[in-house]
Amino acid sequence: MKSYVVSLYDIDWSHDGSQMASGGSDWLVSIWDMAARMPPRVLHGHPWGVFGVAWSPDDRLLASSGWDDTVCIWDVSTGSIVQTLRDPDRVETFFYSIAWSPDGTFLATGSFQQGVQVWEVTTGKCRWVGHTDAPARIRQVVWSPDGTRLASCGEDGSVCLWQTSDGTLLAKLQKHRGLAASVAWSPDGTRLASGGGSSGRGELFIWEARSGECLYTLSEPNAVVHALAWNPSGTLLLSGSSDGMLRWWDLKRGECVRVRKAHQGTIQSLKRSPDGSRLASCGDDGAINVWGLESGEHLRTMRRDRPYERLDISGVKGLTEAQKASLLALGAIEEREGLLKG
């Protein structure tokens, strides 16, 4: 039996905290009502996987990026595409990451062909393309809180800082031995965290954003870091990794103070709620989990119905353990000795 589970690659809270957007391997953009326990609204527009989603600062628009060479901008109220951005210089541009500027004027994208690009939203024109000595596949782009700098990271292991007005490369931070999969600004914009690794070994670095000095080096010995988020005060850093574990790092002590099993497979994205009280995670198992950011308490799981959702296979004969595992992963349930599995 072939198991198919939709992977979620990115999530983003609306700025009022009432909705969450997600994108994944099923080519769909989903919008979840955080106050209701009901299936999400689904937006159809990408003919391939959706790797990035981002709300505009006023929550009227939602941007999504994918491996179909397009960035779609959606009117959230109608669910229609109001603008499509395409790279005029390349037919095939796999857009991996997307982020709005704090004032909503620009969109930054990271791709596997053109690197870092910044687009004017009103005109749909590319304002600048970030160039380094060697082309790199960009995994994430993030604006600084004041909008004057852009951070990017990529598969060559470098973390780059760009001047957002004209695309000047301000710094190239290099300590990762493998890929740099995630980068995140501290709430006050004075520090950067970057995460990555290779061969099952994770790396976490904290940088002073102005000087480029590496302030801390943290180690995850068994998993590559794919997602990062700060707490509002900048004292805790949360990481999501290839082992499905969510970790809380106390930066004053320089050590991991809490670990939670969050997902089956890689954690692909972490996003802090606008009020700073909650953390959302998503990953290869197709689930969105919501956590108490400070407490680590699991608050909620959101997931679109899988092919065998709530199908009771209790007592079904002739299934191998591998087939049962596949059915359970696809939403089936099984009751054993009074315990419900699924």
Side-chain angles (χ1 to χ4, degrees):
M1 179 181 296
K2 185 178 180 180
S3 174
Y4 175 72
V5 176
V6 173
S7 296
L8 291 184
Y9 299 131
D10 197 19
I11 49 178
D12 195 32
W13 296 84
S14 62
H15 291 79
D16 65 5
S18 66
Q19 300 180 88
M20 183 176 292
S22 65
S25 61
D26 59 358
W27 312 350
L28 302 176
V29 176
S30 300
I31 299 178
W32 305 79
D33 186 331
M34 298 305 293
R37 296 184 179 271
M38 56 189 298
R41 292 173 57 199
V42 176
L43 307 180
H44 300 264
H46 288 277
W48 211 352
V50 178
F51 280 81
V53 289
W55 292 88
S56 65
D58 61 7
D59 289 337
R60 293 190 307 106
L61 302 174
L62 180 68
S64 59
S65 58
W67 280 22
D68 56 352
D69 315 325
T70 61
V71 173
C72 295
I73 301 177
W74 308 79
D75 182 318
V76 177
S77 63
T78 65
S80 60
I81 297 174
V82 295
Q83 193 171 9
T84 300
L85 307 180
R86 290 187 175 90
D87 192 324
D89 299 322
R90 296 186 68 101
V91 176
E92 295 185 353
T93 301
F94 294 169
F95 291 107
Y96 204 93
S97 176
I98 191 166
W100 290 85
S101 63
D103 63 3
T105 305
F106 303 103
L107 274 171
T109 57
S111 73
F112 275 17
Q113 287 80 15
Q114 289 286 67
V116 177
Q117 294 170 283
V118 169
W119 307 75
E120 293 182 0
V121 175
T122 54
T123 64
K125 295 182 178 179
C126 183
R127 188 179 188 187
W128 57 261
V129 179
H131 295 286
T132 58
D133 295 336
R137 293 184 169 189
I138 301 301
R139 296 293 295 264
Q140 192 167 23
V141 289
V142 189
W143 295 81
S144 63
D146 64 3
T148 62
R149 291 165 293 167
L150 188 73
S152 66
C153 63
E155 294 194 356
D156 65 347
S158 63
V159 176
C160 293
L161 294 178
W162 309 87
Q163 186 169 288
T164 57
S165 59
D166 58 8
T168 299
L169 179 62
L170 301 174
K172 190 172 184 179
L173 314 178
Q174 294 179 298
K175 281 185 72 70
H176 287 282
R177 290 169 292 180
L179 68 85
S182 184
V183 63
W185 291 90
S186 64
D188 62 3
T190 63
R191 291 168 294 166
L192 274 172
S194 63
S198 64
S199 303
R201 296 187 62 85
E203 300 170 325
L204 268 174
F205 299 111
I206 312 296
W207 310 84
E208 205 286 323
R210 287 295 178 189
S211 67
E213 176 189 0
C214 183
L215 303 174
Y216 306 99
T217 299
L218 307 171
S219 178
E220 288 195 19
N222 300 313
V224 176
V225 179
H226 282 263
L228 296 169
W230 294 78
N231 74 333
S233 65
T235 58
L236 286 174
L237 182 69
L238 293 95
S239 65
S241 303
S242 57
D243 60 358
M245 295 295 184
L246 184 58
R247 293 174 172 88
W248 280 252
W249 300 86
D250 185 320
L251 296 183
K252 290 183 178 180
R253 293 192 285 177
E255 61 185 36
C256 181
V257 294
R258 182 183 295 121
V259 180
R260 293 282 186 271
K261 180 63 175 178
H263 294 273
Q264 299 294 326
T266 299
I267 297 175
Q268 296 286 356
S269 182
L270 296 176
K271 294 293 170 64
R272 187 182 71 213
S273 64
D275 65 4
S277 66
R278 293 165 292 167
L279 180 82
S281 63
C282 74
D284 287 348
D285 57 2
I288 300 171
N289 287 316
V290 181
W291 311 82
L293 190 145
E294 298 288 346
S295 68
E297 177 187 2
H298 179 253
L299 303 176
R300 181 181 180 186
T301 296
M302 302 184 300
R303 187 200 299 269
R304 293 225 324 275
D305 279 356
R306 295 162 289 179
Y308 298 104
E309 202 72 46
R310 294 176 293 278
L311 174 67
D312 190 353
I313 60 172
S314 303
V316 175
K317 297 180 180 180
L319 294 175
T320 67
E321 289 303 314
Q323 289 172 332
K324 287 183 180 180
S326 294
L327 286 169
L328 294 173
L330 292 170
I333 57 175
E334 182 184 24
E335 188 173 354
R336 287 183 178 177
E337 298 179 0
L339 297 177
L340 191 64
K341 299 182 66 176

